[in-house]
Amino acid sequence: MFQISEVLKRVPFFQALGKDGIDFIIERLKFKPYEGGDPICEAGDPGDRMYIIISGNVKVVVVTEDGEENVVANLGSGDYFGEMALLTGEPRSASVITTEPSEMFILNKADFDVIIERFPSITLSMSKIMSQRLRETNQKVAAGHKTTPASVKGKLSEKPVHEVLRFCEDNSLNGKVVINNGAQQAVFEYERGELQSVSLGDMPEDQALDTILNWSDGDFLVEPKPIAMADLKAREAASRKAREDVSIVIVNNSMVVQKLLQRAFESMGYEVFAVETANKALKMIESMKPTLVISDTKLSDGSGIELLNSVRSLGNYPFVLLTEASNRSKLVADAAGIAHTHFTNSQEIGEVVKVVESVLS
Ligand code: CMP
């Protein structure tokens, strides 16, 4: 399993979930690399999985009625696709093809459904993106699909008014909630999760609110306004900027593990230096003064514990040791009393990222 919770945090619909939610999802993701030009999904096919891009790029293509291919979007690291078929049960709305070698997380429908059930709030954030995408696709493609912007709806008998309003606050809703109760219709306008206005016929706002809060029958519709792409990019740029100040030294014998870890942390926006020996690591740490060190337990010129001891003479750099189940307890005992030392339960990238994130948080 290969997962990167920091990439997930940049995915807008995961942002609302917090650490528990992200951890829950991480365990269900599968890692898959693709070559450039690989078709990942095809318009019209049934969809049983969604994809999160770790690195690389894809183009989203729709074919118009006159057979013309139209690229409606290019998506990169931190973006996701394939969610629409899972949410709507409809066939794929577009074809998606890699434009360069790319790495993905794959989330199967069964797991996606469990996640939606457990964290229903993500349907709201997801529907914001979905409506944005549909709008863009509609603008770029004259002919084709019938589309309606995504929204969240339900019955007040299942979700009382105060819970619907809380849901909008928790999800920083930009948009409105329409509640129908018999012949009466109430409208709540929200901006960034803050209630801006309540209307119910000609009633003054406070009286309207009291009345609506007592409604137990009827239905509600939460209609998010699409987020401007510029807002999303600005948010992503801000969180990326924060991570640029963090540097990580990776020490590993294996070029493959080195590269995988390096790519994973770089795709999250960290500055990464990878070396293969303890000797090189010490020089690097001395000159770069990194935020954190990740080391394998066996190196060609010594052990991870020896490196840890030497690093301690340079400073209290948080040190993550890549242990395996078979050697973990011995290493924990060997490192007992050495401050700022952390252990992974495995050498899997996702596990390493999880440990590093908790150390950095
Ligand atoms: P799905 O319909 O399951 O499969 C194709 C995917 O392409 C779709 O989900 C979206 O994730 C993605 N997609 C479709 N239109 C756009 C768009 N305009 N912008 C970005 N992604 C899109």
Side-chain angles (χ1 to χ4, degrees):
M1 189 168 51
F2 181 111
Q3 12 27 18
I4 307 175
S5 55
E6 201 54 43
V7 171
L8 297 190
K9 279 189 201 155
R10 296 212 313 270
V11 179
F13 76 84
F14 286 131
Q15 277 169 357
L17 298 186
K19 192 171 173 327
D20 282 355
I22 288 180
D23 285 351
F24 182 83
I25 286 171
I26 274 177
E27 279 153 26
R28 285 157 179 81
L29 295 173
K30 313 233 165 6
F31 168 76
K32 191 161 177 196
Y34 291 89
E35 301 293 327
D38 278 353
I40 302 185
C41 59
E42 192 145 344
D45 282 355
D48 61 355
R49 57 188 63 182
M50 69 170 281
Y51 303 81
I52 297 156
I53 306 172
I54 304 165
S55 66
N57 222 285
V58 300
K59 60 180 177 180
V60 180
V61 180
V62 254
V63 179
T64 56
E65 272 175 357
D66 52 13
E68 193 191 325
E69 255 199 15
N70 234 313
V71 176
V72 293
N74 280 289
L75 305 175
S77 170
D79 288 326
Y80 65 85
F81 60 90
E83 81 292 2
M84 293 189 189
L86 299 194
L87 279 171
T88 62
E90 288 181 13
R92 295 287 189 205
S93 60
S95 300
V96 182
I97 302 147
T98 52
T99 54
E100 58 184 75
S102 304
E103 296 168 316
M104 313 275 168
F105 287 138
I106 299 176
L107 184 62
N108 287 325
K109 177 156 172 44
D111 291 328
F112 178 83
D113 288 343
V114 175
I115 288 163
I116 294 284
E117 207 177 296
R118 202 164 151 180
F119 303 98
S121 65
I122 69 173
T123 52
L124 180 61
S125 8
M126 214 173 208
S127 61
K128 289 179 189 171
I129 306 292
M130 217 165 96
S131 53
Q132 169 77 28
R133 287 181 168 177
L134 291 174
R135 212 164 62 119
E136 280 180 358
T137 306
N138 286 346
Q139 275 167 3
K140 287 186 189 163
V141 183
H145 317 268
K146 269 193 225 138
T147 52
T148 40
S151 51
V152 177
K153 57 185 175 183
K155 295 194 180 316
L156 294 184
S157 53
E158 286 157 17
K159 203 172 179 72
V161 176
H162 68 271
E163 277 186 29
V164 176
L165 302 184
R166 167 66 63 82
F167 176 82
C168 298
E169 283 167 22
D170 290 349
N171 287 284
S172 301
L173 175 72
N174 273 314
K176 64 181 177 181
V177 184
V178 179
I179 303 185
N180 288 302
N181 173 276
Q184 291 183 294
Q185 184 173 75
V187 179
F188 294 77
E189 299 272 358
Y190 276 88
E191 253 174 50
R192 294 172 195 267
E194 280 186 23
L195 185 57
Q196 304 295 310
S197 66
V198 186
S199 65
L200 176 61
D202 296 334
M203 268 188 212
E205 285 201 321
D206 49 351
Q207 200 185 329
L209 191 57
D210 285 345
T211 308
I212 302 160
L213 282 170
N214 283 320
W215 287 353
S216 51
D217 280 331
D219 42 57
F220 66 88
L221 179 68
V222 180
E223 284 186 304
K225 272 191 256 165
I227 298 179
M229 228 34 174
D231 283 357
L232 287 177
K233 295 271 184 239
R235 250 190 261 164
E236 188 177 321
S239 65
R240 181 160 278 275
K241 179 85 206 71
R243 287 191 298 270
E244 271 167 12
D245 300 334
V246 174
S247 57
I248 298 174
V249 168
I250 294 168
V251 198
N252 206 294
N253 260 337
S254 152
M255 282 303 283
V256 176
V257 178
Q258 227 183 74
K259 279 271 166 290
L260 282 173
L261 283 169
Q262 179 162 15
R263 236 186 278 162
F265 285 104
E266 279 178 352
S267 78
M268 292 155 58
Y270 296 120
E271 191 179 15
V272 178
F273 308 97
V275 291
E276 66 281 11
T277 63
N279 208 7
K280 285 188 186 165
L282 280 172
K283 285 190 188 135
M284 180 71 82
I285 293 163
E286 197 166 12
S287 65
M288 300 312 300
K289 305 200 182 342
T291 316
L292 180 137
V293 180
I294 303 171
S295 172
D296 203 353
T297 51
K298 287 192 201 115
L299 300 165
S300 60
D301 55 349
S303 72
I305 293 284
E306 282 163 357
L307 174 62
L308 168 62
N309 277 310
S310 311
V311 167
R312 280 293 163 267
S313 63
L314 299 176
N316 270 334
Y317 299 100
F319 197 100
V320 177
L321 262 174
L322 306 181
T323 71
E324 281 170 276
S326 56
N327 64 4
R328 184 162 194 244
S329 50
K330 180 177 182 315
L331 286 159
V332 171
D334 288 349
I338 307 181
H340 307 291
T341 309
H342 309 268
F343 304 87
T344 59
N345 279 319
S346 76
Q347 304 237 13
E348 283 172 7
I349 309 295
E351 171 75 26
V352 179
V353 171
K354 231 162 136 178
V355 172
V356 167
E357 282 183 326
S358 76
V359 174
L360 292 174
S361 63

